[in-house]
Each structure stands twice: as structure tokens, then as C-alpha cells.
Amino acid sequence: MLYPHSNDRKNSFILKSGTVKIRILILFLVFMGGKAFASHNRAGEITYMQVGGPKSLTFQATLITYTDTRSPKADRPNITLDWGDGQSSSINRQSQITLPNFVWKNTYISTHVYSGPGSYVISFQDPNRVADVLNMDQSFYTPFYVESLLIIDPLQGFVQSPILLNPPIQNACAFHKFTDNPDAYDADGDSLYFKLIPPKQAVGTNVSGYFTPQHLKLDSTNGEVTWDSATQIGIYNIAIQVQMYRNKKLIGYIIRDMQIIVIDCSVLYPPFIEPLPDTCIEAGINFNYKLPVVARDTDKGYMHYDSIILKYYDSIKLTASGGPFLQSSSPAVMHNNPIIGKDSVKAVFEWAVSCESIREQPYIVIFKAIDQDSIADIKSMKIRVVGPEPQQLTATPAGNSVILNWKLPKCPNPVGYFIYRRGDSSTWQHSNCETGVPGYVGYRRIDTITNPNTFTFIDNNHGDDLAPGIKYCYLVTAIYLNDGQFQYVEGYASNEACAELKKDVPVLTHASVRVTNTSHGSMYVDWSKPLASALDTNQNPAPYKYELYRSPGMGSSKYYLINSSASANFHGLNDTTFIDTMLNTTDSPYTYKVQFYDTDSGKSKLLGNTIPASSVFLNIIRGYKSMILNWSVKAPWQNSYYIVYRLNKTTSKWDSIGTSNTTSYVDTGLVNGHPYCYYVRSIGSYLAPGFTDPIDNNSETRCSSPRDTVSPCPPVLSGIADCEAKATSLGWTTNDSCNAKVVQYNIYFSTGNSYKFSYIDSVTGINTKNYVDQRKILSYSLAGCYYVTAIDSYSNQSRPSNYVCVDNCPRYILPNVFTPNGDEINDLFIPFPGYQFIQGIDLKIYNRWGQQIFSSSNPAINWDGTDERTHQRLPDGVYYYSCIVKQIRFEGIIDVPLSGTVTIVSKK
């Protein structure tokens, strides 16, 4: 009698008795019901890519379906694909691959030219799904439907959907955790978001009776499906929508309809892949990343039969897939992929990352261990490829500037550099995967260099000079943008480099509003005197003098001397404050600077200037039940944050209502039409010893009241061209909940495919939602694009509607006979009945001996039947013509060949 040695059970074993080895294979059969695979479609998706440049309107779509091989009558050598613009294509199957477990993988590929930008749903529908899908009603009679959203926008750049590298049919063990991942790879590096949705049977229609299996979840960041765990054996279908985002804007999606088959694993256990770590790899350092991957057979065990020991185990196949394997430069490898073994399998994933693989989004690698019964375990890992830092950064003081120098990163393909600065040094070192310079470090980006071959930067505070006495520290990062990518990627930060400027001139610390008034306003100005250790009093002898200058605005206007003070010696240079009065602090900020003089041979000599500093100047934008506060300030110190104050009308005191790390703040929850008063206080520092700390300065006070500034919702536009009437009819719908106050709609037009829109007209009234464009220019060409905006009673304008693009209907037909006999009826060879949207022609007419007897570039032709060489009337007979017709189309002038015969009959 056979009995298990352990609690594990198995479907194959080896019999050992002395030196005799007998391998016995027990076949595991799963019965799914009589109609389980009697029909056809099991899973599939549609992917697409742009053909040509980013402005091309040609796209290639690939439909992949997974069907049952036991349904030959439902096989589809040819399918119909709907392009979402009113057109469809009949497409022959390009390939059919037979997969295990009675599966055909069918691939259909076709291209299509769209008429213009817009949103298009590419779709495929087939009447046959497989029967007995448990989480929908009557799957056998439910159509199979998949779709993908294509958004054509010439401003978003080249677009292609992700591809899904892991097949969409997977087995799961009842009462065991199931894991799967579609293994989505986006070659453009766009952000992907995964969403679980019901499968569809038609456009906008979910399958009937669908429910998501209990405990089945989807990770929206990487697409991983987990099911813990299935309790009923059978077939389940789910759908995953993979959304693409570029610069936080949706640019399209694809939908995968996938199938999970739950089988009885009472004598089976899935294989197990040991956990894998997410990681970052720095490009350009000649590092070959290696990761051991181990998959084990969890069913390993023994059986005893008297003195005979039976050992049994599974065959395991380990595979790997993902974006790193698809790189054109230095792709990843896993040798002998797939790797097959008994009991356990060990492989090594290797990737010598190239600089061309740097991108913001991580790459996903999927490892799958599958046993001989198609039971799988899947593990995924994220690999982010980061750019290396600029090398050997140095900082050298030079007057009121600091000169930075660095060397090229180890990747030679940056497109530019970011320059960061802070006062005083930090102890920060980037951690693994920490790219750029995070805000908590205290550095601020001060400039961007767009020339990758520039390795020097002079920091003079954008022409305002750096403050003396400050230790300035810098970091530089490289920016990368590889071919096919659309998002700048910042690499690791360089080493920190610092330089300190001598404090041998004064330094401003305050330019603060004391009183807000149009004529009697006042300012408080303060500065710090030079350091004795920095000023050479022998070369720069006393007496000394300060001169204080003021400029209205932010320092772009002329400076005027407003005060001076002198001292007989250095120690007497303590008069460093001034109250500036009789100012219009309501309507203008003020900027100050101090000039410092010594005496040389009885004459004053300028030793230097302070860096100018301005008051904080507040502006208010009236919002809907809110006030948007923006302020500007020009200061040599670093403002860390700002405190916003609002006047409390009950107590007549100023209440602090919030802080901001930027120069803006939004005060919400207000009452439209009620006045509110504010001022802002800046809190800053030079981040160096020897200065007032903190440095606080007040803005002027300013009052205003909220108003309705909410823009209407953009209309949804449709339109059609009437080629005979030489006009385009537009119509639109609106969302009434956010368009109640609309009083006008503006119409904009762009000629051809230029996408350079101009205002052409408007219609008034909330219920006027149509417009007919009948401008005279349309008689030449209708081709172009429109959008519409809504304007409300507060002059708020909505965002543009969707684009609607129309094309011309060129017409050019030549008759096959004319009668040039002078009876004024059909005397001329001309296009009939007239022509439209034709720029010109290149027409040549020949006699039966091949001699050219007439030519014209005029679309009207007006040929009277005479020879252009002799000007003699030609004999009756058949003549031959060839013509290039220059059609005016949306994409430009298109040459269309036209040829035929024309018969001259001159007898009356």
C-alpha cells in the first residue's frame, strides 16, 4: 500500500528499489463541464502606435485575441475593426500560434489615417465568448468586446500604447492565493495607471450579471492582480483598463479582457518564487546588475511502500519578461530563458544598463514559475534607471559672484543641467533612488542650463550680485531626455561645493512697509555694516559714508539718493536704519540699496554697493468665495516662508490665517461681495552668522472682495462639412450644472492641419448651441479644425472644447466627349459639372500617335479642340489625356492622377 511520508501530495514520482529506477507519471485531468470551451473568445486586447512623426494622422492597431482551438467553426481568419471615426476595416489574420491548453493566439494588424485630432475609440466585437464563465450571465450568448482610447493631439508628441507581455489566460488553484501581472511596457516612459473594470459586450455596455470575484484586487500602480483565494472551480473573466498619462494628462488607454481558470489543486501546490527586491540602477558606471532568481517546488515529498521509497516532484519552468529585455541598447538577459528543472530552478537576471535606458518611470520585470500542470507563481520587481551626477563640482568666489565648474557625468547624453544653491553647507548625501535635490535639504533651484556642453556657471544672483559675508553652497544635477521620451529626468546630485564672499560692504536686512497710504505711507530700511576683519582700513581709510538710494517698483527704474550718513572712523558706522516717509505704498513697492564710501586723498571713493532689496508687494485676485493672494519680493536673503494676516472686523486686530512656502496663498470659505483686508510678512535669513535672524518684512495692506470667477465647463463639440454649400455646421452640448450663467459662445478656427486657431465669430444666448460657418474663404477650402468656448455673465471663459476637424470633398470629373462646332452648346472641354477644392492641374492631351496637342494648368481647362502648336482645329476622333489633379485637403495639397479619353465630335 502507498501512503504519504509527509502531508504533501504529488502527481508524479520516482520509484527506487536498489539500483532500479521507475518513473511513473500520473496525469491530472480537470473537468470543466460539457460546454466549457464549446465556443470561441477567451481574452484579448487592442494596442496601437503612431506611424510617422508626432503630427502624423496615421496609426497602426494590433488586435490580439485568444480563442479556443476546439471551436473551428468560430475561428476568425478575418475580422472587422472599428476605428472610432465612423470607419471600419476588414483585416486578415497575420498569424495564429497554438499555445498549450487548447489556446490559439490570433494577431491582426492594420493601419488607418484619421481626418484630424480628436478622441477615438478603436474597438472589436465578436458574438462568441466561451461558455460557463461564472461571473457573468450566459457567457455563451454574450458578445466579446474590447476597446482602446486613442487621443490624437499634435501638442502631446508621438504616442503609442503600452504593450502587454504576459498572456491573459492563467490558471489558479482553488483555495490558494493567485497572482498575475499583465507586464505592461510603455516605450515612451509614460505613467501607467491600472483600473479593474467589468468586461464589456459592446461599446458602453458591460456584460450582464458581472461581479468581481470576492477578494480579487488590482494594484493600480503596477497592474498586479491578486486573488486570495478562489473557492469555486471554473472560468472567470475580468477586465483591466491601462490608462496612459503624460505630464499628468490622460493621453489614452487600452483594455485587456483576461481569463482566470480555477482548477482543483487538492493534490497540487503551485511553485514558489522567492521574494524579489525593487531597486535602482545608476547608468553609465559600467555596472552589470545581477540578481539571483530562485523558484522551488512546494510539492516535494516521499511515499513509502514497505522498503521501497517513492520520491516525487514537479518539472518547473522559469521565465522572465519585461521592458528591460526590449531595450535596443544593452538589453537585459536571463540566460537560457526559459529555464527548466526539477525540484528547484535557479537563474540569474543580468542587466548592464546603458545611458539610453534612463527614464522617470520604473521598468517592471515579471518572473513566472510554472509547473507541468500550468500552475504558476508570479513575482514582479521594479527597476528604476537613474542618471549619474555631474563630476568634480567646484565653487570659486569672484567679487560679488561665484564661479562653478564641473565635468561631464559618466553618461555623455544629458540635455542640460539644474543649478541649486543654499546659504551654508549641508550634510545631505542622496540615498539610493533619491534623484534631484529634495526640498527638505534647503537648496533652491536658481537656474537651468540647456546646453549639455556647458560646464561653467557664474552665479551673480541674476545680475543683482551675491551678498557678501555669506557662505554659498551649490549642487548640480544633469537632465536627461532620451529618444522617444517626453519627460525630463533629473539624475543624482553632484558633490556639494561652497564659496564664501568677504563682507567688506554693507548688507541690507529690512525693507518693510510701516504705513500703507497713497501719499503718507512709510518704509523701514535697515542694513548690516561691513566686518572689520574683511575691510582693509589701511587701503581704505576713514572717514566713511553711507548713501541710501530708493527706486520705485522692483528696482528696474532709476535710483534716487534719499539719505546719507558719515563717520570719522569705522567703529562709528552704526547709523544703519532709516524711516522713509511720504510714499505711495498702496500702489507701488520700493527697492533700496546702500553705497559705501571711504576717503582717498580727501575725495570720496566708492567701495561697493549692497545688493538691492525691495518691500513685499501684495496683489489680490478676486475668486469665487475666495481670495487669491500673490506677492512679489526682491531680496538678497532667503525667505523661508510667509505669514498671511487678515483683519478681524470684530476685534479690529490682524489675525494670522496661514503660512505659505511660496509667494501665493488662497483664502477660502469667504462671502462673495464682502470686503476682506490682508497683509503678508516674510520670514527669512542669510543662513550665516553675524546677521539679524530671522529677517521679517511686511507688505502693504490691501483690501478686496470675492466674486464669481468660476469658468463654465467646456462645451462638447460636433460638426459636419457641407461641401456643396461651402459651409460647416457646428453644434455643441453643455453641462447645465456648470453652465447656468453662460451668455455667449466663441468659435475658433484653424486652417488645414496648422492647429493655429483664431477667433472667427460668437453667438449669444445660453440656448444657442449651433453655428454655421459660411465665410467666403470656405469656398476655397473647408478643411480645418474648430473649437468652441463658453463665456458667462462675469466674462469667465471656459477651456476650449474638443477639436472638430473637417476635410474638403474635392470634385474633378472630365467628360468623355465634347462638340466644338460653334453652337455654344458643349463647345469646350471643361470639368463637368464644374469642380471644387482644386488648386490646379497638370493636364496633357495626346493624339493617337502620342503627340502632345494640348496642355493646361488651369482647372477650368476651356479647351476648344485646337492644336496648341498650330492653332488649327483638330479632326474628330478619340484623344487621350493624363492629368495630375492638385486636391486641397486637410493635410495639404494632394496630387491625384487622372487619365482617360475624350472624343471630339464637331458635326452639328
Side-chain angles (χ1 to χ4, degrees), residues 605-726:
K605 180 182 68 175
L606 179 63
L607 295 179
N609 298 289
T610 63
I611 299 173
S614 76
S615 58
V616 180
F617 190 68
L618 175 63
N619 280 295
I620 297 178
I621 300 174
R622 302 165 64 194
Y624 179 74
K625 295 184 179 181
S626 65
M627 302 290 270
I628 305 169
L629 280 63
N630 296 298
W631 53 92
S632 54
V633 61
K634 185 176 183 179
W637 57 85
Q638 181 171 316
N639 285 318
S640 303
Y641 64 97
Y642 302 87
I643 306 173
V644 180
Y645 293 87
R646 186 178 68 201
L647 182 64
N648 186 320
K649 295 180 181 179
T650 302
T651 64
S652 297
K653 294 183 179 180
W654 292 93
D655 295 336
S656 169
I657 61 170
T659 62
S660 175
N661 294 322
T662 66
T663 56
S664 64
Y665 181 84
V666 180
D667 189 15
T668 59
L670 307 179
V671 179
N672 284 346
H674 286 225
Y676 297 87
C677 297
Y678 303 87
Y679 79 89
V680 174
R681 176 176 292 169
S682 64
I683 307 297
S685 173
Y686 276 110
L687 301 175
F691 294 93
T692 300
D693 194 358
I695 299 173
D696 58 334
N697 288 278
N698 295 335
S699 75
E700 84 284 8
T701 59
R702 191 166 296 279
C703 303
S704 189
S705 58
R707 70 176 183 89
D708 189 348
T709 57
V710 178
S711 298
C713 294
V716 178
L717 181 64
S718 61
I720 187 170
D722 186 337
C723 292
E724 295 301 322
K726 305 294 192 300

Side-chain angles (χ1 to χ4, degrees), residues 728-732 747 760-763 769-774:
T728 299
S729 297
L730 303 175
W732 54 88
I747 297 97
I760 60 169
D761 208 347
S762 63
V763 295
K769 298 179 181 179
N770 54 74
Y771 177 80
V772 179
D773 186 8
Q774 297 175 306

Side-chain angles (χ1 to χ4, degrees), residues 521-576:
S522 66
M523 298 281 303
Y524 170 73
V525 185
D526 185 24
W527 59 93
S528 173
K529 73 178 187 178
L531 291 176
S533 59
L535 181 65
D536 188 339
T537 55
N538 292 323
Q539 285 191 344
N540 305 292
Y544 301 100
K545 180 175 64 172
Y546 295 128
E547 288 186 350
L548 177 63
Y549 290 82
R550 179 184 67 217
S551 172
M554 287 293 174
S556 58
S557 302
K558 182 179 178 180
Y559 281 89
Y560 298 91
L561 176 65
I562 61 173
N563 189 58
S564 65
S565 60
S567 174
N569 53 62
F570 180 83
H571 298 289
L573 285 172
N574 297 319
D575 187 7
T576 60

